[in-house]
Amino acid sequence: MSHQNPVDTWVSLLVKTYKTFQPKKTTLNDIWTNCGLVVRRNKEKPLLPVKLSERKRPYGRDLLLHIPVGLSDLDFYRRYEKLCWAFNAEIELEPVNGKLLIRIMDQQLQKVIPFDLPQPPTMALPVPVGYSRAGLEWLDLAAAPHFLVAGTPGSGKSNLLHCLCAALYGIADIRIIDLKRLEFSYLRQHGVTVAATEKEAARVLLDLNHEMDRRLAVLEAAGVVKVQDYDGNMPFIVCIIDELAELQDDTCHSLLNRLLRLARACGISIVAATQRPSTAIISGDSRAQFAARLCYRVADEVNSRMVLGETCSRAAYLPTVPGRAILRWDKTREVQTMFLPVAEARKRLYERCPSPPEAPGIA
Ligand SMILES: Nc1ncnc2c1ncn2[C@@H]1O[C@H](COP(=O)(O)OP(=O)(O)OP(=O)(O)O)[C@@H](O)[C@H]1O
Ligand SMILES: [Mg+2]
């Protein structure tokens, strides 16, 4: 008579169980139920969203849904972040003829994308921000003149500002306030005003205020409400501020706030980067003037919402990849900003402009 060792019996039982074990696949209905997207009425069968079609896309797939009576698009928007977790992807919601399209973007973003400047789209002042899963995202600084960039140290803010300078050089009049003093000095040799002290910063901001007043008077006299409608010569001016927190002088703050409130119509943009988006650095009212925002990884959900708005905590959960951020403008998308090391930025400028004009000193 053969006696099987009890350990062997257990092992064979475990192997058998393991072989037959199939992890339950999450169905769409599980997702709707887990996210609370179900209508329950007394005794009736619960109603769930119905998938009408599914299409493969380069970024993942598109799902077209019929929404049952008792639910609306708004219920999906309110559960946006839950749905992202449930699909394990970045998603976009778009109402289409009474139905709802869910764009499920589950492709990985590249970790390093070297700077390149493809043919810009037809916008008045296009700047490339970075690659989302849907392709290169451009921002029109004429339509969204003020652009706020936030993120923890080393997340990629200054690098993005170098990319913007490379894209704007020769197209707009660039003025830089770099109170960290080192990074942007190479632009001085190319005719760009770079303020490196608070005194110089105050001068730059004062000049911009004067220019704004002059332009507002010209536009008023011409009877137009924005620079794009003006026939004469009024080039775009972009003032880039690297590290807003370093700008502590009250005069600078009031000059900057005035520009944020009034400059949008007259072709003057403010692009400001900061490690600390708190109200101590930039008041709620001034922050509201930034129509476009880019938030790299931040410490927590509060900081993410401070930059991207009440409903967006996503920047707290971004991977710790330099250059990875959430762009909020016409859409809210995860992007990888392009990489342009300073040496490369300098080289590109010399190639474009070998004997550049020296920047005028700041009086
Ligand atoms: N888009 C990018 N792709 C790949 N690497 C990047 C990217 N942006 C930045 N880096 C890397 O991260 C480093 C820090 O970037 P950067 O100086 O722009 O950060 P920062 O946000 O300005 O930091 P700080 O707040 O300290 O000024 C860079 O030296 C570079 O090595
Ligand atoms: Mg920096």
Short mmCIF file of all heavy atoms in Angstrom, two decimals, residues 111-113 151-160 180 183 242-243 275 296 322-324 336-340, ligand 1:
data_model
loop_
_atom_site.label_atom_id
_atom_site.label_comp_id
_atom_site.label_asym_id
_atom_site.label_seq_id
_atom_site.Cartn_x
_atom_site.Cartn_y
_atom_site.Cartn_z
N LYS A 111 10.11 59.03 -22.35
CA LYS A 111 10.68 59.71 -21.17
C LYS A 111 11.54 60.90 -21.56
O LYS A 111 11.63 61.87 -20.81
CB LYS A 111 11.51 58.73 -20.36
CG LYS A 111 10.61 57.78 -19.60
CD LYS A 111 11.35 57.09 -18.49
CE LYS A 111 10.37 56.29 -17.66
NZ LYS A 111 10.95 55.12 -17.07
N VAL A 112 12.20 60.83 -22.71
CA VAL A 112 13.00 61.97 -23.16
C VAL A 112 12.68 62.23 -24.63
O VAL A 112 12.80 61.33 -25.46
CB VAL A 112 14.52 61.71 -23.01
CG1 VAL A 112 15.31 62.93 -23.48
CG2 VAL A 112 14.87 61.40 -21.56
N ILE A 113 12.25 63.45 -24.93
CA ILE A 113 11.96 63.82 -26.32
C ILE A 113 12.80 65.04 -26.66
O ILE A 113 12.57 66.13 -26.13
CB ILE A 113 10.46 64.13 -26.52
CG1 ILE A 113 9.61 62.94 -26.06
CG2 ILE A 113 10.17 64.50 -27.96
CD1 ILE A 113 8.12 63.18 -26.08
N GLY A 151 6.00 73.50 -10.50
CA GLY A 151 6.52 72.14 -10.29
C GLY A 151 7.67 72.15 -9.30
O GLY A 151 8.31 73.19 -9.08
N THR A 152 7.91 70.99 -8.71
CA THR A 152 8.97 70.85 -7.70
C THR A 152 10.35 71.13 -8.33
O THR A 152 10.48 71.07 -9.56
CB THR A 152 8.96 69.44 -7.11
OG1 THR A 152 8.80 68.53 -8.19
CG2 THR A 152 7.85 69.23 -6.11
N PRO A 153 11.37 71.41 -7.51
CA PRO A 153 12.70 71.65 -8.07
C PRO A 153 13.16 70.49 -8.95
O PRO A 153 12.91 69.33 -8.63
CB PRO A 153 13.60 71.75 -6.82
CG PRO A 153 12.67 72.16 -5.73
CD PRO A 153 11.34 71.56 -6.05
N GLY A 154 13.74 70.83 -10.07
CA GLY A 154 14.28 69.81 -10.96
C GLY A 154 13.24 69.12 -11.83
O GLY A 154 13.52 68.14 -12.51
N SER A 155 12.00 69.65 -11.85
CA SER A 155 10.98 68.95 -12.63
C SER A 155 11.03 69.31 -14.11
O SER A 155 10.49 68.59 -14.95
CB SER A 155 9.59 69.23 -12.05
OG SER A 155 9.37 70.61 -11.91
N GLY A 156 11.67 70.46 -14.46
CA GLY A 156 11.81 70.77 -15.89
C GLY A 156 11.28 72.14 -16.30
O GLY A 156 11.13 72.41 -17.49
N LYS A 157 11.00 73.01 -15.33
CA LYS A 157 10.40 74.32 -15.64
C LYS A 157 11.34 75.17 -16.51
O LYS A 157 10.94 75.65 -17.57
CB LYS A 157 10.07 75.08 -14.34
CG LYS A 157 9.12 74.34 -13.43
CD LYS A 157 8.85 75.12 -12.16
CE LYS A 157 10.06 75.27 -11.24
NZ LYS A 157 10.62 74.02 -10.71
N SER A 158 12.59 75.35 -16.03
CA SER A 158 13.51 76.22 -16.77
C SER A 158 13.77 75.66 -18.16
O SER A 158 13.85 76.40 -19.14
CB SER A 158 14.83 76.36 -16.03
OG SER A 158 14.59 76.88 -14.75
N ASN A 159 13.88 74.33 -18.23
CA ASN A 159 14.11 73.70 -19.53
C ASN A 159 12.99 74.07 -20.50
O ASN A 159 13.24 74.39 -21.66
CB ASN A 159 14.20 72.19 -19.34
CG ASN A 159 14.27 71.47 -20.66
OD1 ASN A 159 15.31 71.43 -21.30
ND2 ASN A 159 13.14 70.94 -21.11
N LEU A 160 11.75 74.07 -20.02
CA LEU A 160 10.62 74.45 -20.89
C LEU A 160 10.77 75.90 -21.33
O LEU A 160 10.50 76.23 -22.49
CB LEU A 160 9.28 74.25 -20.16
CG LEU A 160 8.10 74.77 -20.97
CD1 LEU A 160 7.72 73.79 -22.06
CD2 LEU A 160 6.91 75.10 -20.11
N LYS A 180 17.58 83.94 -10.71
CA LYS A 180 18.59 82.94 -10.32
C LYS A 180 19.92 83.24 -11.03
O LYS A 180 20.92 82.60 -10.78
CB LYS A 180 18.09 81.55 -10.66
CG LYS A 180 16.97 81.10 -9.75
CD LYS A 180 16.68 79.65 -10.00
CE LYS A 180 15.74 79.09 -8.96
NZ LYS A 180 15.31 77.75 -9.35
N GLU A 183 21.04 80.98 -15.79
CA GLU A 183 20.59 80.13 -16.89
C GLU A 183 20.35 80.83 -18.23
O GLU A 183 20.55 80.25 -19.28
CB GLU A 183 19.29 79.47 -16.49
CG GLU A 183 19.49 78.40 -15.48
CD GLU A 183 18.56 77.25 -15.73
OE1 GLU A 183 18.13 77.04 -16.87
OE2 GLU A 183 18.29 76.55 -14.75
N ASP A 242 11.53 83.50 -14.59
CA ASP A 242 11.92 82.21 -13.99
C ASP A 242 12.09 82.41 -12.50
O ASP A 242 12.94 83.18 -12.05
CB ASP A 242 13.19 81.65 -14.61
CG ASP A 242 13.31 80.15 -14.29
OD1 ASP A 242 12.33 79.58 -13.74
OD2 ASP A 242 14.35 79.55 -14.58
N GLU A 243 11.29 81.70 -11.79
CA GLU A 243 11.11 81.72 -10.34
C GLU A 243 10.48 83.01 -9.84
O GLU A 243 11.16 83.96 -9.41
CB GLU A 243 12.37 81.36 -9.57
CG GLU A 243 12.01 80.87 -8.17
CD GLU A 243 10.73 80.01 -8.11
OE1 GLU A 243 10.78 78.81 -8.43
OE2 GLU A 243 9.67 80.53 -7.74
N GLN A 275 8.37 77.25 -8.23
CA GLN A 275 8.36 75.98 -7.48
C GLN A 275 7.20 75.97 -6.52
O GLN A 275 6.73 74.92 -6.12
CB GLN A 275 9.65 75.87 -6.64
CG GLN A 275 10.91 75.70 -7.44
CD GLN A 275 12.15 75.75 -6.55
OE1 GLN A 275 12.08 76.02 -5.35
NE2 GLN A 275 13.29 75.50 -7.14
N TYR A 296 4.06 70.50 -13.46
CA TYR A 296 4.91 69.31 -13.33
C TYR A 296 4.52 68.64 -12.02
O TYR A 296 3.63 69.10 -11.31
CB TYR A 296 6.39 69.73 -13.31
CG TYR A 296 6.88 70.21 -14.65
CD1 TYR A 296 6.87 71.56 -14.97
CD2 TYR A 296 7.35 69.31 -15.60
CE1 TYR A 296 7.32 72.01 -16.20
CE2 TYR A 296 7.80 69.75 -16.83
CZ TYR A 296 7.78 71.10 -17.12
OH TYR A 296 8.21 71.53 -18.34
N PRO A 322 11.62 63.81 -15.15
CA PRO A 322 11.74 65.24 -15.49
C PRO A 322 11.04 65.51 -16.81
O PRO A 322 11.16 64.72 -17.75
CB PRO A 322 13.25 65.47 -15.61
CG PRO A 322 13.89 64.30 -14.96
CD PRO A 322 12.93 63.16 -15.02
N GLY A 323 10.30 66.60 -16.87
CA GLY A 323 9.62 66.94 -18.12
C GLY A 323 8.17 66.44 -18.17
O GLY A 323 7.44 66.79 -19.09
N ARG A 324 7.75 65.61 -17.20
CA ARG A 324 6.36 65.09 -17.24
C ARG A 324 5.44 66.06 -16.50
O ARG A 324 5.73 66.46 -15.38
CB ARG A 324 6.32 63.71 -16.56
CG ARG A 324 4.99 62.96 -16.78
CD ARG A 324 4.71 62.66 -18.23
NE ARG A 324 5.78 61.91 -18.86
CZ ARG A 324 5.86 60.60 -18.87
NH1 ARG A 324 4.94 59.87 -18.29
NH2 ARG A 324 6.86 60.00 -19.49
N GLN A 336 4.82 65.28 -22.09
CA GLN A 336 6.25 65.22 -21.83
C GLN A 336 6.84 66.42 -22.56
O GLN A 336 6.75 66.50 -23.79
CB GLN A 336 6.84 63.89 -22.35
CG GLN A 336 8.34 63.76 -22.19
CD GLN A 336 8.77 63.63 -20.72
OE1 GLN A 336 8.02 63.14 -19.90
NE2 GLN A 336 9.96 64.09 -20.40
N THR A 337 7.38 67.38 -21.79
CA THR A 337 7.92 68.56 -22.46
C THR A 337 9.23 68.18 -23.15
O THR A 337 9.90 67.22 -22.75
CB THR A 337 8.12 69.74 -21.47
OG1 THR A 337 8.91 69.30 -20.37
CG2 THR A 337 6.79 70.23 -20.95
N MET A 338 9.59 68.93 -24.19
CA MET A 338 10.79 68.56 -24.95
C MET A 338 12.04 68.96 -24.20
O MET A 338 12.01 69.87 -23.36
CB MET A 338 10.75 69.23 -26.32
CG MET A 338 9.66 68.66 -27.20
SD MET A 338 9.70 69.33 -28.86
CE MET A 338 8.83 70.86 -28.64
N PHE A 339 13.12 68.27 -24.48
CA PHE A 339 14.37 68.48 -23.73
C PHE A 339 15.34 69.31 -24.56
O PHE A 339 15.70 68.94 -25.67
CB PHE A 339 14.96 67.10 -23.40
CG PHE A 339 16.17 67.18 -22.51
CD1 PHE A 339 16.25 68.12 -21.49
CD2 PHE A 339 17.23 66.31 -22.68
CE1 PHE A 339 17.36 68.20 -20.66
CE2 PHE A 339 18.35 66.37 -21.86
CZ PHE A 339 18.41 67.32 -20.85
N LEU A 340 15.74 70.45 -24.01
CA LEU A 340 16.69 71.33 -24.69
C LEU A 340 17.73 71.81 -23.68
O LEU A 340 17.51 72.81 -22.97
CB LEU A 340 15.95 72.52 -25.31
CG LEU A 340 16.79 73.54 -26.07
CD1 LEU A 340 17.47 72.92 -27.27
CD2 LEU A 340 15.94 74.73 -26.51
N1 LIG B 1 11.79 67.72 -20.76
C1 LIG B 1 12.82 67.09 -20.18
N2 LIG B 1 13.18 65.87 -20.60
C2 LIG B 1 14.21 65.24 -19.99
N3 LIG B 1 14.93 65.75 -18.98
C3 LIG B 1 14.61 66.95 -18.52
C4 LIG B 1 13.53 67.69 -19.09
N4 LIG B 1 13.44 68.85 -18.45
C5 LIG B 1 14.39 68.86 -17.51
N5 LIG B 1 15.11 67.72 -17.55
C6 LIG B 1 16.24 67.35 -16.66
O1 LIG B 1 15.96 67.82 -15.36
C7 LIG B 1 16.94 68.76 -14.94
C8 LIG B 1 16.29 69.88 -14.19
O2 LIG B 1 15.51 70.64 -15.08
P1 LIG B 1 15.20 72.18 -14.84
O3 LIG B 1 16.43 72.91 -14.47
O4 LIG B 1 14.45 72.67 -16.01
O5 LIG B 1 14.26 72.08 -13.56
P2 LIG B 1 13.50 73.24 -12.79
O6 LIG B 1 12.09 72.80 -12.63
O7 LIG B 1 13.74 74.53 -13.45
O8 LIG B 1 14.21 73.20 -11.37
P3 LIG B 1 14.38 74.40 -10.32
O9 LIG B 1 13.04 74.61 -9.71
O10 LIG B 1 15.38 73.90 -9.35
O11 LIG B 1 14.85 75.61 -11.09
C9 LIG B 1 17.65 69.22 -16.22
O12 LIG B 1 18.97 69.55 -15.98
C10 LIG B 1 17.54 68.02 -17.10
O13 LIG B 1 18.59 67.12 -16.85
#
